[in-house]
């Protein structure tokens, strides 16, 4: 099998912060609309309960609302903090991405993963990097200037052919 593209990218705190910012901006509208919709639904149910004299049920909805809002605002902060303190970020783990005609191999020296291209959820391009999403929340980062085989423009064209709806 012939290697078409090869890229080695080290994960660092600054790279992770850039990814977290990109990810938050990409999902910002959907995330906030969903939060507002659920919040108003809970408030509607709470008001109905108080209106019909079911005070305990109304208080239950207040607790549900506070729990939901706490989860929506605190959970992302905890995930970001956990990921920023992980071994891959703290030790600047390097991933080597090798792309062949039908699949990609991702290796970090310890683990190796072979992925068919259809398994990528989406790919986003930034001026200096690519984000290869595996699902809505997890992504690999490829810096454009770290290609040792091939280049970023040809890589983009190749991935566009393979994943024309997802890029």
């Amino acid at each position: 099998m012939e290697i078409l593209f090869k890229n080695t990218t080290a994960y660092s705190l600054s790279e992770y912060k850039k990814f977290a910012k990109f990810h938050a901006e990409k999902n910002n509208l959907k995330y906030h609309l969903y939060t507002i919709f659920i919040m108003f639904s809970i408030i509607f149910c709470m008001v109905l309960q108080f209106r019909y004299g079911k005070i305990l049920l109304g208080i239950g909805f207040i607790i549900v609302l506070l729990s939901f809002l706490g989860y929506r605002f605190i959970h992302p902060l905890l995930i970001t903090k956990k990921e920023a303190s992980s071994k891959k970020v703290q030790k600047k783990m390097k991933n080597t991405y090798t792309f062949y005609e039908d699949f990609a191999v991702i290796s970090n020296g310890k683990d190796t993963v072979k992925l068919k291209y259809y398994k990528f959820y989406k790919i986003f391009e930034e001026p200096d990097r690519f984000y290869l999403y595996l699902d809505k929340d997890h992504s690999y980062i490829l810096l454009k200037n770290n290609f040792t085989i091939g280049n970023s423009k040809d890589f983009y064209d190749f991935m566009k052919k393979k994943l024309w709806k997802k890029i």
Side-chain angles (χ1 to χ4, degrees):
M1 287 242 128
E2 179 187 353
I3 297 174
L4 302 176
F5 302 96
K6 190 170 187 175
N7 182 305
T8 302
T9 299
Y11 283 74
S12 66
L13 187 57
S14 65
E15 291 301 324
Y16 179 71
K17 284 181 179 179
K18 288 176 186 175
F19 167 70
K21 182 180 177 192
F22 170 82
H23 184 73
E25 289 172 359
K26 180 182 75 66
N27 292 317
N28 209 9
L29 180 64
K30 283 192 296 189
Y31 188 84
H32 290 308
L33 287 176
Y34 177 77
T35 301
I36 290 168
F37 175 75
I38 297 298
M39 186 178 73
F40 280 123
S41 298
I42 294 171
I43 290 171
F44 176 75
C45 292
M46 178 184 64
V47 168
L48 280 178
Q49 298 312 313
F50 284 126
R51 178 132 167 86
Y52 292 112
K54 298 185 178 180
I55 305 299
L56 247 88
L57 209 45
I59 292 171
F61 276 109
I62 289 173
I63 293 169
V64 168
L65 178 64
L66 293 175
S67 299
F68 174 73
L69 291 175
Y71 174 79
R72 292 301 276 187
F73 293 109
I74 294 171
H75 185 256
L77 297 174
L78 294 175
I79 288 176
T80 302
K81 184 178 178 182
K82 178 183 173 188
E83 193 68 28
S85 64
S86 70
K87 284 183 183 178
K88 74 178 180 185
V89 173
Q90 292 300 318
K91 295 190 179 205
K92 297 186 179 183
M93 182 179 74
K94 288 185 179 182
N95 277 352
T96 301
Y97 306 92
T98 310
F99 296 89
Y100 299 91
E101 184 62 37
D102 297 323
F103 60 91
V105 176
I106 301 154
S107 175
N108 62 15
K110 198 188 251 190
D111 299 318
T112 300
V113 177
K114 180 179 174 182
L115 291 170
K116 296 275 186 182
Y117 292 113
Y118 72 87
K119 291 197 176 189
F120 287 110
Y121 174 70
K122 282 202 181 211
I123 297 177
F124 293 95
E125 181 183 23
E126 287 279 284
D128 60 341
R129 69 196 68 237
F130 293 103
Y131 295 115
L132 281 64
Y133 274 79
L134 297 175
D135 57 34
K136 290 194 299 188
D137 295 319
H138 299 92
S139 173
Y140 290 116
I141 302 169
L142 272 80
L143 297 178
K144 286 184 175 181
N145 59 359
N146 288 6
F147 280 94
T148 54
I149 298 176
N151 61 51
S152 61
K153 186 194 177 317
D154 293 340
F155 176 74
Y156 177 82
D157 293 339
F158 173 75
M159 293 307 279
K160 196 170 185 178
K161 280 188 239 173
K162 292 289 182 185
L163 304 163
W164 53 279
K165 284 187 176 180
K166 296 180 180 184
I167 196 162

